Amino acid sequence: PSNHEAIDEIFRAAHTLKGGSATVEMHELSGFTHVMEDLLDELRSGTITVTEPVVDALLSAIDIIKEMLDARANGSIYSGDAEPVKNTLKGFLPGKDPSGKKKAAPVQAPAPAAKPVQEAPSSVTLSEYDYLEMEQARGPGETLWAVTVEFDESNPMNSVGGIQVFAALKERGSILKTVPDFDVLFEDDFHPTVVYYLSTKADGASLEKASTISDVTLSSKAQGITNAAATASREEAAPAPKQTASAPPVKQEPPAKPESSAAATDRQEAPAPQQITPAARHREEGTQESSKKTSSGGNATHAGGSVLRVDSRRIDYLLNLVSETVITKASFNQTAMQFSELLMEMHETEASYKDKVRQLFDELPKHLEGIQNGSSIKEVKKTITTEYGDLFTIFDVIETTYKSLITKFRSSSQNLGRIASELQEGVMKIRMVPISQIFSRFPRLVRDMSRDLDKKINLVIEGEETELDKSVIEDLLDPIMHCVRNSLDHGIENPDVRKAEGKNEEGTLLLKASNEGNMIVIEIGDDGKGIDVEAVRQKAIDRGIIHPSKLITDQEAFQLIFEAGFSTASKITNLSGRGVGLDVVKTQIEKLNGSVTVSSEPGMGTKFSIRLPLTLAIIQGLLVRVGKEVYSIPITSVIESHRVRKDEISTIDNYEVLNVRNEVISILRLNQLFGIKTEENTDYRFIVIVGTSDKKVGLMIDGLIGEEDVVIKPLRDQFTNSPGIAGASILGDGSVSLIIDVSQLLDLGMKQELYARQQREARVW
């Protein structure tokens, strides 16, 4: 409230928006923003003070402005009712009632208007072009599906439901398109209905199950897309009976368009599944262009973020590096030419050398005959040295030139290495976006959630200028959201409890990002009550996770909260209690080759620390050899490596294990797992221990090669679902190295142990 610079900046923005919209005759926007500007002017002059109801009204006004801009962007004019929000804004102005007339006495500020809701897609439709584009993107053996999901507006985090379902469906196949567009889903707006178009081998039932999230979604319907349906739609075929999610796709016309957004959001039951008709939008001339933004979502590459805003200075930096590369290329060309010339000179010198050596051998009999006839050996030696002494130095010039060229070549190579490193760094920076894209969503979200929980929360954000790869950002929102929700609901106490404990009634939630080498660290911390280790232990015993007699450390207890379905909440609420949340955090972060840890102190608070690589395109890998194959293990997953003797490997219940500092580590033989022939009769083995602090496994390999930057290339077609393999890379010698997916490998190891145990039990019986 006392930040006058911020108030002035907001006022100037509203003033500019009002004037700009009036200039291009967006009168609905200029008139609405004028009322907002009046309120901001009063705040700026100090006539009225900033209170929560005032901020609520301003936030609602911003939502209306977004609606108005979206409508214009789609070729239409905002048709919603902005009067309630406008009257709320006017009600704060001194000496005036909500209608703008003078009032006798100040009245209590009216409650802010509800947040406007984005209009739901009226029907599931596709243009013929979109359909053909999806057909081309469809993978072998995959089917095209459309999943229509309706979301619960009463959920305090309703504006991120679309992203949560996107992340869930992405595990089932390739998302080719969303309606509304993926970028629109990332904005801070609630969308009652979202349609996801996928190419997948999964069936409708599994897609519906994956897209159903408790407290977030109301319903989910999956529909198949077929060639026959596209042909039938072009022929204006009649409607057919309804289909279920698991049944084969049957042609059916889309339902009639609801008359208003209220009709789309207040339905008591989900719309029946309908066959998508690619020509449906062509029946309504003129609607295709106006609905581009909200109804013609991007394709797979667009959803992945194919368009980036890049600082021109970064492009200039790359251009400078490219110019240096051209110069270095010219240097290499010149060196190569000099090597060619030197080679020709060496051939000529070699021919001269051979001629002289041949001539020497031809003259040797004459010299030997001279010695026999009385000539002294010294005289003969002197004669030979005089005539053929240059044979000892004939290659000296070539050697000197060769050394000079090697020095020049080495210098050019080092220069090229420097440029390549800087180019790599520069290109990676182009893909980098500030984490503020995620952090900027939380002030309002935390504000809404804190009011729902009846708590006072002060959100502190640090390091929002920290940058990381855009592909990482897209999958990071959901894990951070769950951590924030956990801190708000479980961590920070109610104001009366905090006051009784001598704390400030207002709790503090910290969102912080920072760089540590080639890793980014994101911290979500609170000053709440901390984690009750004994309560966690008791809950784990009740669920059969640990034995009642087992003693666990605080750190082990903290790791238990990441178990699926684990929750210490005493009652189920909209925010927690169902055991869904932190297990998602761990799973998502591990898929990004990262790790998450928890630290807590009773009465002082809890902190989640997420560590991630800056980019997923290039990682540091440990190259290992198994037989004749070379594999890459992400260095972030490597804990340590050992060279052990055969007798150091023990067997417990038919499992091979290694004792490392009194900790028993299970061993997984990569040669057996991947079916590779290796030399078994060796005295020593190499064991690389990978995993996390709570889940480890030792990988038995034939040799360690060393660390190297690895460029990840995704596997396509039939290799996509290879278990234990995350991708491939091309090494310096041109050979291919498969990149090991450690998280999948841990699961494979557990399945292998379970299978061996079942086989052993079967033999016993």
Side-chain angles (χ1 to χ4, degrees), residues 69-77 257 281 284-296:
L69 289 171
D70 287 342
R72 286 287 187 170
N74 294 327
S76 60
I77 300 177
K257 182 177 180 180
R281 261 191 283 182
E284 296 181 357
E285 297 295 335
T287 60
Q288 186 176 2
E289 289 300 321
S290 64
S291 60
K292 270 187 178 177
K293 181 175 181 182
T294 57
S295 303
S296 64

mmCIF file of all heavy atoms in Angstrom, residues 69-77 257 281 284-296:
data_model
loop_
_atom_site.group_PDB
_atom_site.id
_atom_site.type_symbol
_atom_site.label_atom_id
_atom_site.label_comp_id
_atom_site.label_asym_id
_atom_site.label_seq_id
_atom_site.Cartn_x
_atom_site.Cartn_y
_atom_site.Cartn_z
ATOM 1 N N LEU A 69 -9.907 -7.841 -24.529
ATOM 2 C CA LEU A 69 -8.817 -7.941 -25.513
ATOM 3 C C LEU A 69 -8.899 -9.252 -26.288
ATOM 4 O O LEU A 69 -8.681 -9.283 -27.510
ATOM 5 C CB LEU A 69 -7.469 -7.827 -24.806
ATOM 6 C CG LEU A 69 -7.114 -6.435 -24.269
ATOM 7 C CD1 LEU A 69 -5.864 -6.513 -23.403
ATOM 8 C CD2 LEU A 69 -6.897 -5.457 -25.405
ATOM 9 N N ASP A 70 -9.216 -10.350 -25.590
ATOM 10 C CA ASP A 70 -9.351 -11.640 -26.269
ATOM 11 C C ASP A 70 -10.477 -11.602 -27.296
ATOM 12 O O ASP A 70 -10.347 -12.150 -28.399
ATOM 13 C CB ASP A 70 -9.609 -12.752 -25.249
ATOM 14 C CG ASP A 70 -8.366 -13.104 -24.452
ATOM 15 O OD1 ASP A 70 -7.262 -12.754 -24.916
ATOM 16 O OD2 ASP A 70 -8.497 -13.716 -23.381
ATOM 17 N N ALA A 71 -11.580 -10.971 -26.917
ATOM 18 C CA ALA A 71 -12.705 -10.882 -27.855
ATOM 19 C C ALA A 71 -12.309 -10.126 -29.117
ATOM 20 O O ALA A 71 -12.606 -10.559 -30.236
ATOM 21 C CB ALA A 71 -13.894 -10.203 -27.172
ATOM 22 N N ARG A 72 -11.622 -8.996 -28.947
ATOM 23 C CA ARG A 72 -11.178 -8.222 -30.117
ATOM 24 C C ARG A 72 -10.167 -9.015 -30.950
ATOM 25 O O ARG A 72 -10.174 -8.962 -32.177
ATOM 26 C CB ARG A 72 -10.559 -6.906 -29.651
ATOM 27 C CG ARG A 72 -11.590 -5.885 -29.167
ATOM 28 C CD ARG A 72 -12.368 -5.306 -30.326
ATOM 29 N NE ARG A 72 -13.243 -4.214 -29.908
ATOM 30 C CZ ARG A 72 -13.891 -3.412 -30.743
ATOM 31 N NH1 ARG A 72 -13.773 -3.611 -32.045
ATOM 32 N NH2 ARG A 72 -14.666 -2.453 -30.290
ATOM 33 N N ALA A 73 -9.286 -9.737 -30.268
ATOM 34 C CA ALA A 73 -8.296 -10.527 -30.999
ATOM 35 C C ALA A 73 -8.953 -11.609 -31.839
ATOM 36 O O ALA A 73 -8.415 -12.034 -32.856
ATOM 37 C CB ALA A 73 -7.303 -11.156 -30.019
ATOM 38 N N ASN A 74 -10.153 -12.044 -31.428
ATOM 39 C CA ASN A 74 -10.883 -13.069 -32.165
ATOM 40 C C ASN A 74 -11.876 -12.474 -33.158
ATOM 41 O O ASN A 74 -12.723 -13.188 -33.702
ATOM 42 C CB ASN A 74 -11.621 -13.989 -31.193
ATOM 43 C CG ASN A 74 -10.669 -14.791 -30.339
ATOM 44 O OD1 ASN A 74 -9.594 -15.158 -30.795
ATOM 45 N ND2 ASN A 74 -11.042 -15.056 -29.103
ATOM 46 N N GLY A 75 -11.804 -11.165 -33.365
ATOM 47 C CA GLY A 75 -12.663 -10.536 -34.365
ATOM 48 C C GLY A 75 -14.057 -10.215 -33.887
ATOM 49 O O GLY A 75 -14.947 -9.955 -34.707
ATOM 50 N N SER A 76 -14.290 -10.210 -32.587
ATOM 51 C CA SER A 76 -15.619 -9.887 -32.052
ATOM 52 C C SER A 76 -15.484 -8.832 -30.964
ATOM 53 O O SER A 76 -14.386 -8.349 -30.681
ATOM 54 C CB SER A 76 -16.284 -11.150 -31.497
ATOM 55 O OG SER A 76 -15.492 -11.709 -30.459
ATOM 56 N N ILE A 77 -16.612 -8.447 -30.379
ATOM 57 C CA ILE A 77 -16.637 -7.449 -29.306
ATOM 58 C C ILE A 77 -17.144 -8.115 -28.041
ATOM 59 O O ILE A 77 -18.054 -8.952 -28.088
ATOM 60 C CB ILE A 77 -17.537 -6.248 -29.686
ATOM 61 C CG1 ILE A 77 -16.999 -5.584 -30.957
ATOM 62 C CG2 ILE A 77 -17.609 -5.233 -28.547
ATOM 63 C CD1 ILE A 77 -17.865 -4.436 -31.444
ATOM 64 N N LYS A 257 -24.444 -25.806 -30.411
ATOM 65 C CA LYS A 257 -23.674 -24.800 -29.684
ATOM 66 C C LYS A 257 -24.539 -24.168 -28.605
ATOM 67 O O LYS A 257 -25.651 -23.735 -28.871
ATOM 68 C CB LYS A 257 -23.193 -23.736 -30.657
ATOM 69 C CG LYS A 257 -22.352 -22.675 -30.000
ATOM 70 C CD LYS A 257 -21.857 -21.698 -31.034
ATOM 71 C CE LYS A 257 -21.013 -20.622 -30.392
ATOM 72 N NZ LYS A 257 -20.516 -19.658 -31.364
ATOM 73 N N ARG A 281 -16.571 -26.902 -39.075
ATOM 74 C CA ARG A 281 -16.409 -25.447 -39.017
ATOM 75 C C ARG A 281 -16.627 -24.786 -40.371
ATOM 76 O O ARG A 281 -16.926 -23.599 -40.457
ATOM 77 C CB ARG A 281 -15.021 -25.093 -38.494
ATOM 78 C CG ARG A 281 -15.063 -24.758 -37.008
ATOM 79 C CD ARG A 281 -13.762 -24.167 -36.575
ATOM 80 N NE ARG A 281 -12.771 -25.222 -36.433
ATOM 81 C CZ ARG A 281 -11.545 -24.987 -36.020
ATOM 82 N NH1 ARG A 281 -11.156 -23.767 -35.764
ATOM 83 N NH2 ARG A 281 -10.675 -25.967 -35.892
ATOM 84 N N GLU A 284 -20.117 -23.090 -41.119
ATOM 85 C CA GLU A 284 -20.420 -21.737 -40.649
ATOM 86 C C GLU A 284 -19.386 -20.785 -41.211
ATOM 87 O O GLU A 284 -18.298 -20.638 -40.677
ATOM 88 C CB GLU A 284 -20.401 -21.695 -39.123
ATOM 89 C CG GLU A 284 -21.484 -22.559 -38.507
ATOM 90 C CD GLU A 284 -21.462 -22.471 -36.994
ATOM 91 O OE1 GLU A 284 -20.562 -21.793 -36.466
ATOM 92 O OE2 GLU A 284 -22.335 -23.050 -36.370
ATOM 93 N N GLU A 285 -19.720 -20.177 -42.329
ATOM 94 C CA GLU A 285 -18.789 -19.261 -42.986
ATOM 95 C C GLU A 285 -18.522 -18.073 -42.080
ATOM 96 O O GLU A 285 -19.428 -17.507 -41.489
ATOM 97 C CB GLU A 285 -19.392 -18.762 -44.311
ATOM 98 C CG GLU A 285 -19.629 -19.862 -45.323
ATOM 99 C CD GLU A 285 -18.333 -20.492 -45.764
ATOM 100 O OE1 GLU A 285 -17.301 -19.810 -45.678
ATOM 101 O OE2 GLU A 285 -18.351 -21.661 -46.177
ATOM 102 N N GLY A 286 -17.270 -17.715 -41.998
ATOM 103 C CA GLY A 286 -16.921 -16.510 -41.240
ATOM 104 C C GLY A 286 -16.532 -16.775 -39.810
ATOM 105 O O GLY A 286 -16.018 -15.889 -39.147
ATOM 106 N N THR A 287 -16.804 -17.976 -39.295
ATOM 107 C CA THR A 287 -16.469 -18.235 -37.887
ATOM 108 C C THR A 287 -15.057 -18.755 -37.719
ATOM 109 O O THR A 287 -14.502 -18.704 -36.640
ATOM 110 C CB THR A 287 -17.440 -19.271 -37.290
ATOM 111 O OG1 THR A 287 -17.327 -20.483 -38.040
ATOM 112 C CG2 THR A 287 -18.863 -18.765 -37.350
ATOM 113 N N GLN A 288 -14.484 -19.267 -38.803
ATOM 114 C CA GLN A 288 -13.157 -19.882 -38.694
ATOM 115 C C GLN A 288 -12.104 -18.864 -38.296
ATOM 116 O O GLN A 288 -11.312 -19.090 -37.396
ATOM 117 C CB GLN A 288 -12.790 -20.543 -40.017
ATOM 118 C CG GLN A 288 -11.485 -21.330 -39.928
ATOM 119 C CD GLN A 288 -11.191 -22.041 -41.211
ATOM 120 O OE1 GLN A 288 -11.930 -21.933 -42.172
ATOM 121 N NE2 GLN A 288 -10.104 -22.775 -41.222
ATOM 122 N N GLU A 289 -12.081 -17.699 -38.949
ATOM 123 C CA GLU A 289 -11.060 -16.698 -38.657
ATOM 124 C C GLU A 289 -11.240 -16.117 -37.269
ATOM 125 O O GLU A 289 -10.290 -15.836 -36.568
ATOM 126 C CB GLU A 289 -11.119 -15.571 -39.704
ATOM 127 C CG GLU A 289 -10.637 -15.981 -41.075
ATOM 128 C CD GLU A 289 -9.202 -16.453 -41.046
ATOM 129 O OE1 GLU A 289 -8.401 -15.856 -40.314
ATOM 130 O OE2 GLU A 289 -8.888 -17.439 -41.726
ATOM 131 N N SER A 290 -12.513 -15.912 -36.858
ATOM 132 C CA SER A 290 -12.746 -15.256 -35.569
ATOM 133 C C SER A 290 -12.412 -16.147 -34.389
ATOM 134 O O SER A 290 -12.255 -15.669 -33.275
ATOM 135 C CB SER A 290 -14.221 -14.821 -35.460
ATOM 136 O OG SER A 290 -15.055 -15.967 -35.480
ATOM 137 N N SER A 291 -12.323 -17.448 -34.621
ATOM 138 C CA SER A 291 -12.061 -18.351 -33.501
ATOM 139 C C SER A 291 -10.672 -18.949 -33.534
ATOM 140 O O SER A 291 -10.411 -19.961 -32.920
ATOM 141 C CB SER A 291 -13.099 -19.485 -33.506
ATOM 142 O OG SER A 291 -13.000 -20.199 -34.712
ATOM 143 N N LYS A 292 -9.767 -18.313 -34.266
ATOM 144 C CA LYS A 292 -8.426 -18.879 -34.425
ATOM 145 C C LYS A 292 -7.727 -19.068 -33.092
ATOM 146 O O LYS A 292 -7.148 -20.093 -32.817
ATOM 147 C CB LYS A 292 -7.574 -17.988 -35.332
ATOM 148 C CG LYS A 292 -7.694 -18.378 -36.790
ATOM 149 C CD LYS A 292 -6.721 -17.587 -37.611
ATOM 150 C CE LYS A 292 -6.791 -17.994 -39.076
ATOM 151 N NZ LYS A 292 -5.903 -17.205 -39.907
ATOM 152 N N LYS A 293 -7.782 -18.047 -32.258
ATOM 153 C CA LYS A 293 -6.970 -18.103 -31.036
ATOM 154 C C LYS A 293 -7.516 -19.102 -30.037
ATOM 155 O O LYS A 293 -6.787 -19.876 -29.453
ATOM 156 C CB LYS A 293 -6.898 -16.717 -30.397
ATOM 157 C CG LYS A 293 -6.038 -16.722 -29.137
ATOM 158 C CD LYS A 293 -5.877 -15.350 -28.576
ATOM 159 C CE LYS A 293 -4.992 -15.381 -27.337
ATOM 160 N NZ LYS A 293 -4.830 -14.083 -26.722
ATOM 161 N N THR A 294 -8.875 -19.083 -29.841
ATOM 162 C CA THR A 294 -9.451 -19.919 -28.799
ATOM 163 C C THR A 294 -9.891 -21.278 -29.282
ATOM 164 O O THR A 294 -10.112 -22.162 -28.474
ATOM 165 C CB THR A 294 -10.677 -19.205 -28.182
ATOM 166 O OG1 THR A 294 -11.612 -18.924 -29.241
ATOM 167 C CG2 THR A 294 -10.274 -17.925 -27.518
ATOM 168 N N SER A 295 -10.047 -21.466 -30.583
ATOM 169 C CA SER A 295 -10.585 -22.728 -31.065
ATOM 170 C C SER A 295 -9.678 -23.496 -32.000
ATOM 171 O O SER A 295 -10.017 -24.573 -32.429
ATOM 172 C CB SER A 295 -11.932 -22.485 -31.770
ATOM 173 O OG SER A 295 -12.828 -21.858 -30.904
ATOM 174 N N SER A 296 -8.560 -22.937 -32.380
ATOM 175 C CA SER A 296 -7.675 -23.648 -33.307
ATOM 176 C C SER A 296 -6.287 -23.769 -32.721
ATOM 177 O O SER A 296 -5.341 -23.243 -33.241
ATOM 178 C CB SER A 296 -7.622 -22.923 -34.658
ATOM 179 O OG SER A 296 -7.046 -21.657 -34.499
#
